[in-house]
Amino acid sequence: MTDNAVKTKSRKKKHVTALLILLAVAVSLGIILYFVLKFSPYPDADKFLQRRYSTRIYDKDGMLVQLLPLEDGLRREYTPLEQIPPKVVESFLTAEDKRFYDHYGIDIAAIIRAFFQNVSDNRIVSGASTITMQLARIITPAKERNFAAKVKEAINALRLECRFSKDEILELYLNNVPFGFNTEGVTSAAKTFFASELNELTEAQIRCLAVIPRRPSSYNPLTDPENCTRAVMEVFDVEPNNRDANTDNSDITEADILEAARNAKQYQYPFYMPHYIQFLTSTYPDEFTGKKDITLSASLQLQEYTENLLTTSVKKYAENRITNGAVLVLNTQTAEILSWVGSSGFNDESNQGQIDGVTVPNQPGSSMKPLLYALALDNGYLPSDILPDIPTDFGFEELYIPQNFNNRFNGPVRFRTALASSLNVPAVYLLNKLGIKTYLSKLGEMDFDSLKNADPGLGLALGNAAVSIYELTSAFSVFPRDGVYIQPSYGKEQSEKHKAQARSVYSKDASRIICSILSDANSRATGFGYATVFQTPFASIFKTGTANQYQNITALAATPLYTVGVWMGNFTGETVVGKTGSSIPAAVAKDILCLLQGSYDIPFSEPEQFHKVRICSLSGKQAGDLCPTSLLEYVPAVSATADDLCDWHTDAGVKYPAEYERWFLMKTRAGTIDGTTSPFTLVSPKKGSVFFHDQATSMYSRQNLSIEFSGGTENTMHLIISDGSNILETDLERPFIVSVPIERGSYSIEASCGAETIVSSFSVR
């Protein structure tokens, strides 16, 4: 081999080695660049991936309830790439980036082509931006469109290509591409410009949609269908007036595109259940701003019926100053919300229709009483027990003397009758015995958040503390659910979570007895007569209530399947004229139950630890031979004793216990008072009571105070009253009632009856 050949061979080896080294360096630099692009901080992209999307909310039948807007009314829905029709994907790739799958974010060939096109035409014909570059611009908007901005877009496009797959980039682009007119993403654009779902678009409509992002103000088919058509023909190489062939190998013609553009129709976004959706988005903000669709348990069909029913009723009773109302309907078994009507007209500004009456606290009146009576049952009271419906003063410094709505007292009443007829004094009596804190604690178990800071006193028994129909209806549904409280839910997924967190707030038997009482027309007759508004062709329970100033009237109704709560009145707090609360909202509740239930009857379950026996209708004890009337009632399933037999009816007539003495003497009654059967008790005034001196009375005569005792083993008693300087000492025979003159000061009382002695005090200011 010659020297030249050796030298030539050596040079070739050096060249190969150099090339290999250069290739290795290039690969290494490429790898380094790739990792730098992939892992270098890109906070804009990280933030972009967390951006919010418009939530699609559907009713249980798949009807769109609302498409939630984002900031400034923007609609931006998210649709996974696999759910976007292929024709949509193809059209956007054709319009924006034909070589999308062949480049790495920057299309060099497109840049060269655009350069020569722009120079040749002496104007900007093409910008050569790839879809990846456009996405980079969406992620990091440029303040100015200049060369530096283009370079930054190109670098960010490379970063995106290193971080995401092609399909991921395309999916992000199609769901975020701006169309103008408060619309981003192809799914929302299909609605905005064609009032259509994305998968319902025709091919011509898809082509129109694909050109809008290029110049939204010019290519909008709603405002300029001809210009939109020209843009489509240019982008997709459609030959003018040629129905036979097009360069893009489709059957779309100029006429097809023009027809699609001219028939573009702006979408009217639905705005159903406004109060309910506001409640959901404010209560569960994280769940209603994501990419997933929400399917409610509510029904638009039921919602429309409920809204119309409420509006009609409000208009009918407008002269009674009823200007608004609210309705909540639940599935009793699952606590899923089926209908939510916050007012009789969301857009009725004159009556403050945008206030949500379902969540606004109002005094519920007697509609809360079942919750108190159920607590009493769980604390040893029985449906056969006798409660006093007699003039009674409760409290000390704040004297509280409740009245029934008809200003009458019924004397001894059975527990069942007291609740079914909604008598006030027995309810206050029970709360006084059970304790306000105990009752508030029980209400807290049922999420009565309105009462967390309340200090209502004994008036809580009569509903003097404001609560919402949402809280009331949720709590009322526990009775046909065997005492189990489940927080209301908006859909099946949430319902399963809430059922897993369900808690028993009342015993099964207490709840079943409450259902028995509230469905008992005969026991309701004392207070309401046999009102047809409470009568349904299926087993149902009702409870109504009226605020103490008649400004709110409510009704609760339930079956084992459905629970309804209705509030009516006005948001200004005016008194409702001439109505006490039973008929108007109860009629609305009844109509809703009848629609849902039809004639399908499911009876309420019987208590498990009770059985029915015949009891005396007056004493509540097992009926004896002398009892003139009797009825069947639940009593504990244990053997009866002699003490359970009625001892009120004797051969000599009826003997009432001593505590009914004041009531007995209010008018002529048959029978007698058996004063010696009860412990010696100071009925009035309670120990520590404070009274206020009446200046007007003292001008003409001295102010008197009635002092009353009951019970005791003897028929006489000895009384000493002193104000520190004056002493009144006297003996009394039954009835133990005396009226004494009073002035400002402190008074002591000492009384004795047989071996029993009472020491008490009160003051006058």
Side-chain angles (χ1 to χ4, degrees), residues 304-349:
E304 182 180 7
Y305 175 84
T306 305
E307 288 176 354
N308 292 337
L309 183 64
L310 179 65
T311 301
T312 300
S313 185
V314 166
K315 289 180 178 178
K316 181 178 179 181
Y317 294 102
E319 293 182 357
N320 299 97
R321 285 207 287 264
I322 294 176
T323 60
N324 236 309
V327 179
L328 179 64
V329 184
L330 303 178
N331 178 315
T332 299
Q333 295 303 312
T334 65
E336 291 176 314
I337 296 168
L338 305 181
S339 180
W340 178 305
V341 182
S343 71
S344 59
F346 184 81
N347 296 317
D348 185 359
E349 295 183 5

Side-chain angles (χ1 to χ4, degrees), residues 536-552:
T536 59
F538 43 79
S540 61
I541 58 175
F542 282 85
K543 190 70 194 76
T544 60
T546 306
N548 56 16
Q549 297 299 320
Y550 299 100
Q551 69 270 45
N552 304 297

Side-chain angles (χ1 to χ4, degrees), residues 347-626:
N347 296 317
D348 185 359
E349 295 183 5
S350 62
N351 291 310
Q352 300 172 289
Q354 293 194 16
I355 295 177
D356 189 351
V358 173
T359 59
V360 169
N362 288 294
Q363 286 189 353
S366 296
S367 55
M368 282 188 69
K369 286 177 181 174
L371 306 174
L372 174 63
Y373 278 75
L375 178 62
L377 289 170
D378 277 336
N379 278 270
Y381 283 86
L382 301 174
S384 58
D385 282 346
I386 299 300
L387 303 178
D389 184 19
I390 59 179
T392 309
D393 55 327
F394 298 93
F396 302 101
E397 289 197 11
E398 295 182 5
L399 193 64
Y400 183 53
I401 305 176
Q403 302 283 328
N404 288 319
F405 67 91
N406 58 6
N407 294 317
R408 294 186 303 184
F409 297 97
N410 298 280
V413 293
R414 285 176 289 111
F415 184 101
R416 173 182 290 270
T417 302
L419 173 57
S421 291
S422 200
L423 302 178
N424 287 342
V425 179
V428 178
Y429 171 86
L430 283 176
L431 180 56
N432 190 50
K433 292 290 187 182
L434 296 169
I436 296 172
K437 289 185 178 179
T438 301
Y439 185 36
L440 283 172
S441 176
K442 179 59 63 176
L443 295 175
E445 293 178 26
M446 292 176 280
D447 296 333
F448 274 90
D449 293 338
S450 301
L451 299 175
K452 280 184 176 179
N453 299 314
D455 185 19
L458 289 173
L460 179 61
L462 309 182
N464 72 340
V467 298
S468 67
I469 277 293
Y470 177 84
E471 294 165 324
L472 272 176
T473 310
S474 305
F476 194 70
S477 68
V478 306
F479 298 123
R481 204 186 296 125
D482 279 348
V484 175
Y485 176 77
I486 304 176
Q487 185 182 356
S489 56
Y490 61 78
K492 291 191 178 301
E493 183 177 340
Q494 191 190 43
S495 175
E496 293 302 317
K497 294 180 183 178
H498 288 182
K499 283 192 288 185
Q501 300 166 355
R503 50 189 177 268
S504 179
V505 293
Y506 296 114
S507 69
K508 184 184 295 185
D509 280 357
S511 301
R512 293 181 177 185
I513 289 172
I514 293 294
C515 289
S516 170
I517 293 173
L518 295 182
S519 60
D520 185 351
N522 291 326
S523 296
R524 191 186 296 128
T526 300
F528 302 100
Y530 291 92
T532 57
V533 72
F534 301 120
Q535 298 176 14
T536 59
F538 43 79
S540 61
I541 58 175
F542 282 85
K543 190 70 194 76
T544 60
T546 306
N548 56 16
Q549 297 299 320
Y550 299 100
Q551 69 270 45
N552 304 297
I553 50 179
T554 60
L556 302 169
T559 71
L561 297 181
Y562 306 103
T563 302
V564 181
V566 182
W567 166 83
M568 296 181 74
N570 51 72
F571 291 126
T572 58
E574 292 183 87
T575 300
V576 175
V577 180
K579 299 294 175 182
T580 59
S582 61
S583 60
I584 304 174
V588 173
K590 175 184 176 179
D591 285 350
I592 294 171
L593 280 185
C594 287
L595 173 74
L596 292 170
Q597 191 91 18
S599 58
Y600 184 49
D601 186 17
I602 302 178
F604 294 108
S605 300
E606 295 287 318
E608 295 177 346
Q609 305 300 321
F610 287 73
H611 65 169
K612 283 188 174 181
V613 300
R614 190 160 293 279
I615 65 168
C616 172
S617 59
L618 179 63
S619 69
K621 298 185 176 185
Q622 288 194 42
D625 295 337
L626 298 175

Side-chain angles (χ1 to χ4, degrees), residues 1-12:
M1 181 180 294
T2 66
D3 290 341
N4 288 335
V6 172
K7 290 179 180 179
T8 300
K9 186 175 181 181
S10 177
R11 283 197 298 271
K12 287 181 178 179

